Amino acid sequence: MSDQSNKARRRSTSGLPRADETAGAGNPLGAAARRRSRVRAWPGAPSRGRSTAVRARAEILAIQQGVQRRKLFVWLLGAIVAVSMVVVLMGTVGLISETRSRPLTAAEQARYKQEEIARRWQAWPAAGVFPEEVRYLGLDSATQYARRVGIAPETKCAEAVDPPIGAVLDTHGCVTVLRATYLDETATFVITVGVAVLQDEDSRVSATEELTLDDRVGVLPVPFEGTVTERFGLEQRQRSGWVGAGPYVVFSTAGYADGRTRAAVPAEEILHSELWSTAKSIGNQIAYFLADPPNVPPCTQGNVC
């Protein structure tokens, strides 16, 4: 009996109730708990103090990130300002270097002369291009003065010269033709001077290389009604010629104030008459006025470097 009791007690150590045991005696579900439960408790909701601490830490992190971004922004802004200041400084130094007064180079002096001469036909008044009196050499090299009778309106190149001359001028970029008529000191000869304006000196040189040497063609005469020049027309032209000066071709043509035609004058007289030397001298004087080299300042800003 004791052995059976002992076996029964040994089998009961498995923790499972036997069928013949009563609930109050051996059933662990019905008996009071003798051991701690092994079931893990669910974590409870955070307390109000813990929630406040979390929010405070999040705010601190946000502030720290904002400070870092601000520092980065300030650094970038400072870098941009620094680079801008360097650029402005370099530009200012370059501007000062370019605009400060310095001696003109030989090329700059030559360009200054060319530009000054090329703009004279516009910059000067009409009386500057065609002075009221022009000095010339008469018989025995005596100094005499031709008197300007009138100045014609500015004319298109092809309309102010004979067709063969006009074709050449237009080919090389002629801009315009200015004309005036003079009377010699004795009121015997009538001379029309025409200034053909080319784009530059190179164009003028190219044009003059193609101009004809025929003294029967050139600038068209300009008579002025009510003066002794009113009978000076195409048939009254005795001789014509031209001379190059800077960007200008200065034409001259001459005839007699009494209206004599070329056909009425012996060829020998046409070639050796004082008329032509007077006309050439007046044309050369006007060409000299236009192409006379100007005084060049020594420095870029005047006379002081």
Side-chain angles (χ1 to χ4, degrees):
M1 193 67 180
S2 60
D3 292 335
Q4 290 178 352
S5 297
N6 291 335
K7 291 180 180 180
R9 290 192 185 110
R10 284 194 296 267
R11 283 195 299 267
S12 64
T13 58
S14 62
L16 296 176
R18 295 195 307 271
D20 56 349
E21 288 181 342
T22 62
N27 186 359
L29 296 179
R34 297 179 181 177
R35 292 184 296 180
R36 292 180 181 177
S37 174
R38 297 183 180 181
V39 179
R40 183 177 300 174
W42 291 100
S47 64
R48 180 176 299 178
R50 182 179 179 185
S51 176
T52 302
V54 170
R55 284 198 301 270
R57 180 172 179 79
E59 291 176 357
I60 293 173
L61 290 176
I63 293 172
Q64 291 176 346
Q65 290 177 354
V67 171
Q68 291 176 352
R69 292 193 186 99
R70 181 180 178 84
K71 288 182 179 179
L72 179 61
F73 173 77
V74 171
W75 184 87
L76 289 175
L77 183 61
I80 293 173
V81 171
V83 171
S84 300
M85 292 179 63
V86 171
V87 172
V88 171
L89 179 61
M90 293 177 63
T92 303
V93 172
L95 181 62
I96 294 174
S97 177
E98 287 295 325
T99 58
R100 68 180 177 83
S101 184
R102 59 174 177 77
L104 289 173
T105 64
E108 289 173 333
Q109 292 178 357
R111 186 169 65 251
Y112 179 93
K113 293 178 181 179
Q114 291 176 355
E115 292 176 353
E116 171 63 23
I117 292 172
R119 72 185 187 91
R120 283 176 176 172
W121 73 275
Q122 287 181 307
W124 286 2
V129 178
F130 299 114
E132 185 175 354
E133 290 186 340
V134 177
R135 186 178 63 178
Y136 67 95
L137 296 179
L139 289 175
D140 300 326
S141 298
T143 300
Q144 296 183 337
Y145 291 89
R147 178 174 56 86
R148 188 190 70 220
V149 178
I151 300 175
E154 186 177 330
T155 312
K156 293 181 180 179
C157 300
E159 297 176 1
V161 296
D162 289 299
I165 305 296
V168 174
L169 294 180
D170 284 345
T171 299
H172 293 280
C174 181
V175 178
T176 190
V177 172
L178 313 175
R179 291 180 296 171
T181 297
Y182 286 84
L183 195 65
D184 80 316
E185 193 168 289
T186 65
T188 303
F189 308 136
V190 181
I191 303 98
T192 291
V193 179
V195 178
V197 182
L198 280 296
Q199 293 178 345
D200 50 44
E201 188 170 355
D202 291 339
S203 299
R204 190 272 301 169
V205 171
S206 299
T208 52
E209 289 176 351
E210 299 180 21
L211 289 178
T212 178
L213 298 177
D214 187 350
D215 66 359
R216 294 171 298 178
V217 296
V219 65
L220 301 182
V222 181
F224 289 89
E225 188 176 354
T227 70
V228 295
T229 69
E230 62 183 358
R231 289 184 289 177
F232 184 43
L234 292 176
E235 295 182 356
Q236 284 71 37
R237 290 186 300 179
Q238 300 296 314
R239 294 187 69 178
S240 298
W242 54 266
V243 62
Y248 310 108
V249 182
V250 180
F251 294 92
S252 56
T253 187
Y256 292 98
D258 60 11
R260 276 179 283 177
T261 65
R262 180 182 172 105
V265 179
E268 187 68 15
E269 183 178 345
I270 292 174
L271 293 175
H272 301 288
S273 171
E274 183 187 355
L275 175 148
W276 184 233
S277 62
T278 300
K280 286 197 302 182
S281 181
I282 294 172
N284 289 342
Q285 280 293 313
I286 291 176
Y288 173 79
F289 296 152
L290 284 170
D292 184 29
N295 293 326
V296 181
C299 306
T300 56
Q301 296 183 6
N303 296 323
V304 180
C305 296

